[in-house]
Amino acid sequence: MARLSRREFVGATVGTAALAGLAPCGAHAQSRPNILFILADDLGYGDLSCYGRPDYETPVLDKLATQGVKLTSAYAAAPVCTPTRCAFITGRYPQRLPVGLQEPLTARSPPHLGIPDGHPTIATQLKAAGYDTALVGKWHLGWDEEFNPTRHGFDEFFGCLSGAFDFFTHMAADAGDGKSDLWENTTRVERSGYATDLFTERAVDYVSRRHDKPFYLSLHYNAPHAPWEGPEDAGIDHTRHGDGPMADGGSQRAYASMMRSMDSGIGRVLDALRRARIERDTLVIFTSDNGGERYSYNWPFSFQKMYLNEGGVRVPAIVRWPGVVPENRTLDFPMITMDWTASFLALAGATAGAGYPLDGQNVLPVLTGERQAEERAFFWRTRTRDAARVGKWKYVKDGGVEHLYDVSVDLGEKAERKNDEPEVFARVKSQYDAWAAQMLPRPPA
């Protein structure tokens, strides 16, 4: 597979429209990179040692950061699993789809929710552009067979459908049916092993195969989401999902063990790229679906998962593409989940899908240094909270109380500015209100 030069890459990512008519086969298809998108689950901003974690180290991801760009203002589209995954898969704000309103999707959610049939996804569009597509790991966007990843553009799927499942028994947290939530495409399967290892092994197998076309692999680890079980915890009680290890217990030790396991697993996948001699032909992204939870290190941000303060939505993000993305660079460039979708589609010469405009932007030219970053506006909404970031200003409404913060200097969102900057407050709130008016209404409480 030939590697794009920087000049060719920039030309290829000027816009999707110019590329849409190119045939997804032959020399052009072979010149496009593979895409490996690695998504951690409930990983807090500071949970990698290269982002400040003080009590354990993540050497593989730390090294990855030195080989590419480390982002310090990357955001998740939501502070919880399902909406962010909906945003990534569709490239659109999660509030545009009923499934994206679930916080998260559980057995208690309205039945038969998932990505609607026929809705374009990152996988359908990349597949149409000539990519092989695979998802390994967590889906969390619907249980019915019509919502299976293989019904939405993925050639193959190995992973779990639920939001949380036991790392050893592979039973879903809220299913209560005593069955494994591990799937091979649309078939429930039984496998022995620690979930992180199983996902790693399948990803290694996938990238090690011969591919006649470029591939897109989404590797969605369920670590370090609860239950907080490290590889050495096989002997604990895994049966009390309602009030046992799925919700209670855990420890800093277990969390560190989970993180080391995922970090070393990612190292195995990256080694497989190298052994297959496609390391330089593969764009690698690592990030998280939302802020951290009980054992996360979110400093210097406030709050955590489920909140719209920075601790709930700002996440680590690392990008590596040898020879295209500069090495050992840190960028304080605000971006959001849907930008990954837009970037991958632009890179592949794929379209967004008629009638489904993307809410993200192609950020790869910014990451390569070919284009300057511009001021962005991002919006979030949960059942009880509202937020927006416009430039350096952050609007937050929580418990009916509205706030304005300057997050360029106040990362912890401690200094109230709405009284000092009434015009800014009114402008940002107005932008939020205009965005919210275009989204689906909040579901009943």
Side-chain angles (χ1 to χ4, degrees):
M1 181 183 293
R3 180 170 57 89
L4 288 172
S5 69
R6 181 182 297 274
R7 184 181 299 275
E8 290 168 334
F9 165 74
V10 173
T13 56
V14 168
T16 59
L19 285 169
L22 292 174
C25 57
H28 173 70
Q30 295 303 304
S31 72
R32 295 173 297 174
N34 307 305
I35 300 168
L36 171 59
F37 180 71
I38 307 173
L39 187 66
D41 196 359
D42 285 6
L43 179 75
Y45 178 85
D47 281 341
L48 307 183
S49 43
C50 61
Y51 278 83
R53 186 80 192 202
D55 57 327
Y56 61 76
E57 294 185 350
T58 50
V60 170
L61 288 165
D62 292 356
K63 182 178 180 181
L64 190 72
T66 68
Q67 295 171 334
V69 171
K70 182 178 78 170
L71 294 168
T72 56
S73 288
Y75 287 95
V80 64
C81 306
T82 297
T84 294
R85 292 162 195 276
C86 178
F88 171 68
I89 292 295
T90 66
R92 311 180 82 215
Y93 275 110
Q95 292 81 9
R96 296 190 185 278
L97 284 82
V99 68
L101 301 180
Q102 302 305 303
E103 300 173 3
L105 186 68
T106 71
R108 295 174 296 280
S109 299
H112 312 304
L113 281 177
I115 302 295
D117 183 43
H119 193 297
T121 70
I122 179 71
T124 60
Q125 302 312 101
L126 287 178
K127 184 176 175 64
Y131 272 68
D132 290 332
T133 59
L135 172 63
V136 174
K138 178 174 171 177
W139 175 239
H140 207 185
L141 288 170
W143 287 282
D144 294 353
E145 187 168 326
E146 66 185 286
F147 304 131
N148 188 276
T150 59
R151 299 291 190 265
H152 294 278
F154 288 99
D155 296 321
E156 55 188 270
F157 165 59
F158 175 74
C160 59
L161 299 176
S162 63
F165 83 149
D166 190 276
F167 282 75
F168 294 95
T169 68
H170 313 142
M171 287 190 291
D174 58 1
D177 57 6
K179 297 180 180 179
S180 168
D181 185 40
L182 197 59
W183 298 79
E184 183 88 51
N185 298 327
T186 59
T187 302
R188 195 189 302 263
V189 296
E190 297 282 349
R191 298 285 187 274
S192 296
Y194 186 67
T196 301
D197 292 337
L198 293 177
F199 296 156
T200 293
E201 289 161 7
R202 180 56 63 93
V204 168
D205 172 75
Y206 186 82
V207 302
S208 300
R209 299 178 202 165
R210 174 180 172 82
H211 293 272
D212 294 326
K213 298 184 289 185
F215 65 75
Y216 156 57
L217 170 61
S218 258
L219 175 54
H220 297 182
Y221 285 105
N222 60 317
H225 194 291
W228 294 288
E229 303 168 338
E232 66 284 350
D233 290 328
I236 69 173
D237 183 357
H238 301 278
T239 62
R240 298 178 295 117
H241 292 311
D243 59 358
M246 192 65 72
D248 295 335
S251 65
Q252 295 288 9
R253 176 207 58 78
Y255 194 83
S257 181
M258 296 171 77
M259 287 298 300
R260 293 190 190 102
S261 175
M262 181 174 66
D263 186 70
S264 64
I266 292 169
R268 291 172 59 193
V269 179
L270 298 178
D271 285 345
L273 290 176
R274 178 180 50 78
R275 289 195 305 272
R277 299 184 179 181
I278 55 174
E279 182 178 46
R280 298 186 65 83
D281 303 314
T282 304
L283 170 65
V284 178
I285 291 88
F286 173 85
T287 190
S288 178
D289 63 346
N290 47 251
E293 202 180 348
R294 182 177 303 176
Y295 297 109
S296 285
Y297 182 75
N298 287 325
W299 178 261
F301 307 121
S302 297
F303 295 91
Q304 60 178 29
K305 175 182 177 179
M306 301 303 300
Y307 291 86
L308 294 180
N309 297 86
E310 297 291 281
V313 292
R314 203 185 292 210
V315 293
I318 299 170
V319 182
R320 186 189 78 177
W321 186 4
V324 178
V325 172
E327 294 184 1
N328 204 23
R329 186 181 183 198
T330 298
L331 279 181
D332 189 40
F333 162 55
M335 62 157 296
I336 196 166
T337 299
M338 297 84 73
D339 292 338
W340 298 125
T341 318
S343 300
F344 299 166
L345 294 183
L347 186 57
T351 62
Y356 298 92
L358 300 175
D359 288 318
Q361 296 181 10
N362 175 16
V363 298
L364 287 169
V366 177
L367 300 180
T368 63
E370 303 293 342
R371 190 183 77 206
Q372 292 296 311
E374 58 190 37
E375 182 172 287
R376 305 287 302 281
F378 305 138
F379 306 97
W380 298 269
R381 192 192 71 194
T382 69
R383 289 175 183 265
T384 59
R385 299 180 175 95
D386 310 275
R389 175 169 173 173
V390 179
K392 68 178 185 177
W393 299 105
K394 179 80 177 288
Y395 165 76
V396 179
K397 183 178 180 181
D398 190 350
V401 180
E402 296 176 307
H403 306 276
L404 182 71
Y405 304 109
D406 178 355
V407 291
S408 69
V409 294
D410 179 22
L411 298 177
E413 296 164 291
K414 305 297 185 183
E416 180 64 71
R417 298 300 305 277
K418 71 176 180 180
N419 295 326
D420 298 329
E421 302 283 352
E423 293 182 358
V424 172
F425 175 75
R427 172 172 59 85
V428 176
K429 180 181 178 182
S430 176
Q431 286 179 261
Y432 172 82
D433 290 340
W435 169 82
Q438 301 174 48
M439 301 297 116
L440 295 176
R442 282 185 168 99

